[in-house]
Amino acid sequence: MDPVLALVIFVVVFAFVFDYTNGFHDAANAIATSVATRALTPRVALLMAAVMNFIGALLGTGVAETIGSGIVEVAPSDGISGLLVVIAGLVGAVVWNLTTWWFGLPSSSSHALIGGLAGAGLAAAFTVHWSVIGMKVIVPMFVSPFVGFGLAYLLMSLIRRTFQNATYKTTMKRFRVAQTVPAAAVALGHGLQDAQKTMGVIVIALVAGGYHEGSSVPLWVKLGAATAISLGTYSGGWRIMKTLGTKIADLNPAQGFAAEAVAASVLYTTAYFWHAPISTTHTITSSVMGVGATTRRSAVRWSTAGNIVGAWFITFPAAGLVAAAVSYVLHLFV
């Protein structure tokens, strides 16, 4: 078999493996609050999230095109060298995903992947589009948590004022039912955002191997990425689910509803209007903090939140360093 074709096949399979790890790593994003408030049972929640992830992955390609053409410049003439950059980037992302999953930290798979690609490209002397990374990765990385926190705080405050004279038990029962809608919306948004990142990586590999032109996404790539992320989601992610659902703040159904509604809104806005690969993890985590803070400041476990934020900041460089080391070693044999 032609070595370039063999590497392309390997990258495609490896990218789907990353997509799978993304699914179980980020499963908690959509359903942790619903499970914590008992709006859904864990198994039903996972099934719902898996289905919505699959559907969401097929709803757009804007984020995929940003990843496919806007992070590292790879051309058909790069061949094996370009494919090794993609492999190294995926290794960096997968290593970081598994590390943070093991410690139960809801870090960003998106930033791990982009950091991995940037680090691998830099080590191999490829052109890295830092302006695109700055505007569509770094800026959203800092802005989205503040937006999520602020909007969730405001929405929850509005809900508290609106229902302050209502019967607590009846109100919570209704919000427990209503919460399933934004939970499904977050799962849909996760598929829309995160599955597209894998699609973009596969497009880079196809272009490097000379099997594709441009940044459009073939249908088989869409279906493969949608399937991988939905299977990963259904497999769970219980460590991170516990952190996100109970260790940041103890949520009631109304708070879970508000957090998920805000997170879903931010995900759709950035995917469709900015084509930015925003972190679903950052968005839902900051939204949980925002609704928790409406009860009282001590309702949010800020020490746990601090550990999570620390993981956010080191995700991009950590995945980049691993990928750069792998890229350097791989290119020694080219």
Side-chain angles (χ1 to χ4, degrees):
M1 180 184 290
D2 176 53
V4 173
L5 176 58
L7 272 179
V8 169
I9 294 173
F10 177 79
V11 170
V12 170
V13 173
F14 195 13
F16 287 148
V17 170
F18 165 77
D19 206 23
Y20 181 88
T21 68
N22 190 336
F24 78 70
H25 186 278
D26 291 359
N29 291 347
I31 63 175
T33 55
S34 296
V35 172
T37 61
R38 296 187 295 280
L40 296 170
T41 65
R43 192 53 57 188
V44 170
L46 285 171
L47 179 60
M48 178 273 292
V51 171
M52 299 307 288
N53 263 267
F54 185 91
I55 296 172
L58 303 178
L59 294 182
T61 59
V63 173
E65 291 171 6
T66 295
I67 297 293
S69 62
I71 305 301
V72 179
E73 190 168 316
V74 177
S77 59
D78 293 319
I80 291 178
S81 182
L83 290 167
L84 293 180
V85 166
V86 179
I87 291 172
L90 286 169
V91 170
V94 169
V95 167
W96 186 250
N97 267 0
L98 293 177
T99 300
T100 51
W101 166 80
W102 178 258
F103 289 102
L105 291 174
S107 68
S108 171
S109 298
S110 307
H111 295 158
L113 177 60
I114 296 168
L117 288 174
L122 194 62
F126 275 56
T127 299
V128 178
H129 299 293
W130 294 109
S131 59
V132 175
I133 292 174
M135 285 301 299
K136 293 196 173 184
V137 180
I138 303 301
V139 170
M141 181 176 75
F142 286 100
V143 172
S144 61
F146 287 102
V147 172
F149 184 97
L151 290 180
Y153 185 92
L154 291 175
L155 178 58
M156 189 60 216
S157 297
L158 178 62
I159 290 174
R160 289 170 68 90
R161 289 194 182 94
T162 302
F163 293 93
Q164 61 183 343
N165 295 322
T167 303
Y168 181 84
K169 186 175 181 179
T170 302
T171 300
M172 291 303 111
K173 183 177 180 180
R174 291 173 178 172
F175 269 111
R176 186 172 285 115
V177 175
Q179 190 183 349
T180 59
V181 176
V186 172
L188 192 76
H190 181 256
L192 178 65
Q193 277 278 349
D194 285 47
Q196 286 194 51
K197 294 152 192 171
T198 298
M199 298 177 199
V201 169
I202 294 175
V203 167
I204 295 175
L206 294 175
V207 169
Y211 294 97
H212 188 68
E213 293 182 358
S215 58
S216 61
V217 183
L219 178 60
W220 68 267
V221 175
K222 294 180 184 178
L223 292 174
T227 301
I229 199 168
S230 60
L231 289 175
T233 298
Y234 188 69
S235 71
W238 303 104
R239 291 174 183 268
I240 295 173
M241 194 181 301
K242 184 177 181 181
T243 298
L244 194 54
T246 62
K247 290 187 177 180
I248 297 175
D250 295 319
L251 303 181
N252 60 42
Q255 290 173 315
F257 173 89
E260 289 168 338
V262 167
S265 300
V266 174
L267 291 176
Y268 296 145
T269 300
T270 53
Y272 281 116
F273 297 105
W274 201 355
H275 295 172
I278 197 172
S279 170
T280 56
T281 306
H282 290 196
T283 306
I284 187 62
T285 305
S286 58
S287 297
V288 169
M289 294 179 192
V291 298
T294 60
T295 303
R296 59 186 183 279
R297 288 188 60 185
S298 60
V300 178
R301 297 178 181 89
W302 297 106
S303 59
T304 301
N307 291 335
I308 294 170
V309 172
W312 291 356
F313 280 104
I314 65 174
T315 290
F316 189 94
L321 286 172
V322 173
V326 173
S327 179
Y328 177 78
V329 171
L330 290 177
H331 280 86
L332 290 177
F333 299 97
V334 176

